[in-house]
Amino acid sequence: MAYRIRSSSHPRGPRAAICGALAAAASALLVVGALAPAPVAAATMSTGSGSAPADFSASVQAKGKARVTAAVLDLDGAGRTPTVYGDDTAYDTASIIKVDILAAMLLQGQDSGHALTAKERAQAEAMIQHSDNTAANALWRRIGLAPGLQAANKRLGLTATKGGPDVRWGLTRTTASDQIRLLRAVFDTGPAPKAGSAPALSDTSRGYIRTLMGRIAPEQSWGVSAAAGSEWALKNGWLQRNKTGLWDVNSVGRITSGRHHYLVAVLSDGNTSMKDGVALVERAARAAVSSTPAR
């Protein structure tokens, strides 16, 4: 299936307007359950060999309690392992999990030999392009909640993602490097993760996800696209913790910068506002891409 990746020349609108619209929409995430502060998982430092300092959070000016991790894979390079900046520890996904939900649903359809119904396609498009939570609720149940996600992720090569409890898909836990594994399953045209193995997702399934991620609603076209020089396809996630008032802000996708194509995942939490979180994610994406060595 042919797909189009959004050009970064597309009008992105005033930053304040984007953040205001997304902050208002974030309240809808509360339907997935109470959002208590996330526990801090054991962290391991996996800093890239580029010019970014080991204290990546400080280098991109994370404020207060905010923390951030970025992972980058140069699709035009020889390596198949992403460069990770910061602690590759777990974060809550918020709405970036919607890419994983769609991948799981498409895998199940491949297994059963059934294409998505018109209703499922409409829900998938709303979920990815407009980050619609009602559609995500329906498709999360459709794949069998966390157990269905886990089964799909095993085939997609993810190793550090744990589905959220019951209907609370937004509380799925993941790492930046695991998000690169998911993006590879969708965008990477190089060798499959395991020698001799075929990609889990069919070309049609991969093309469908790419198409939707390349047609994100204009008000949501922030995040890893800040590091793009020309084209991008992405999915963002955001939520405000109901006990602390702090924000989780994440962005994952494929970008083109210069003559290279990159998979980029930036995860953050502890932001004092939606605006601060968006700005942090974009600074981190730019710093990580510019610091990733060509291999």
Side-chain angles (χ1 to χ4, degrees):
M1 175 184 292
Y3 68 97
R4 175 177 62 86
I5 296 180
R6 182 77 64 83
S7 169
S8 62
S9 63
H10 183 90
R12 298 174 63 194
R15 176 67 62 223
I18 290 174
C19 293
L22 296 180
S27 61
L29 280 175
L30 296 179
V31 301
V32 303
L35 301 176
V40 178
T44 57
M45 181 65 74
S46 178
T47 305
S49 57
S51 60
D55 191 351
F56 185 65
S57 182
S59 75
V60 295
Q61 302 175 355
K63 301 177 181 178
K65 296 182 179 180
R67 61 182 188 133
V68 63
T69 302
V72 180
L73 176 64
D74 182 351
L75 291 176
D76 299 307
R80 296 288 90 187
T81 301
T83 302
V84 180
Y85 300 96
D87 294 340
D88 197 20
T89 188
Y91 292 78
D92 285 336
T93 59
S95 285
I96 62 169
I97 191 59
K98 291 169 181 175
V99 176
D100 207 357
I101 292 173
L102 178 54
M105 186 172 67
L106 291 170
L107 273 179
Q108 291 178 358
Q110 290 174 198
D111 292 343
S112 65
H114 293 99
L116 300 186
T117 65
K119 181 178 180 180
E120 288 169 343
R121 290 181 71 88
Q123 290 171 328
E125 291 162 16
M127 177 176 72
I128 300 298
Q129 294 175 297
H130 300 279
S131 206
D132 185 87
N133 292 327
T134 300
N137 291 340
L139 298 183
W140 178 247
R141 291 184 173 89
R142 162 74 170 73
I143 67 168
L145 308 178
L149 186 80
Q150 298 295 130
N153 282 348
K154 185 176 181 179
R155 297 166 61 186
L156 293 168
L158 279 68
T159 61
T161 298
K162 182 178 180 180
D166 195 33
V167 297
R168 290 172 288 183
W169 44 263
L171 298 185
T172 297
R173 302 282 283 169
T174 195
T175 63
S177 58
D178 229 26
Q179 286 302 297
I180 295 295
R181 294 184 182 100
L182 176 60
L183 292 171
R184 281 194 64 189
V186 175
F187 290 99
D188 193 1
T189 56
K194 294 182 180 180
S197 64
L201 290 167
S202 68
D203 288 344
T204 298
S205 294
R206 284 153 55 94
Y208 183 58
I209 300 174
R210 293 169 178 174
T211 296
L212 298 189
M213 292 179 69
R215 296 176 178 172
I216 297 299
E219 68 272 11
Q220 294 182 22
S221 60
W222 48 269
V224 297
S225 57
S230 54
E231 297 177 332
W232 53 265
L234 61 77
K235 182 70 191 79
N236 297 322
W238 60 94
L239 63 82
Q240 185 177 27
R241 315 305 301 207
N242 64 356
K243 288 189 177 181
T244 66
L246 300 177
W247 288 80
D248 299 347
V249 181
N250 307 318
S251 184
V252 299
R254 177 190 184 275
I255 70 164
T256 300
S257 181
R259 296 183 178 180
H260 283 240
H261 304 85
Y262 299 91
L263 301 181
V264 187
V266 183
L267 309 179
S268 78
D269 61 18
N271 298 287
T272 56
S273 68
M274 178 71 189
K275 180 180 179 181
D276 284 347
V278 170
L280 175 61
V281 164
E282 294 192 337
R283 287 196 302 272
R286 287 191 293 264
V289 170
S290 65
S291 299
T292 299
R295 303 186 206 182

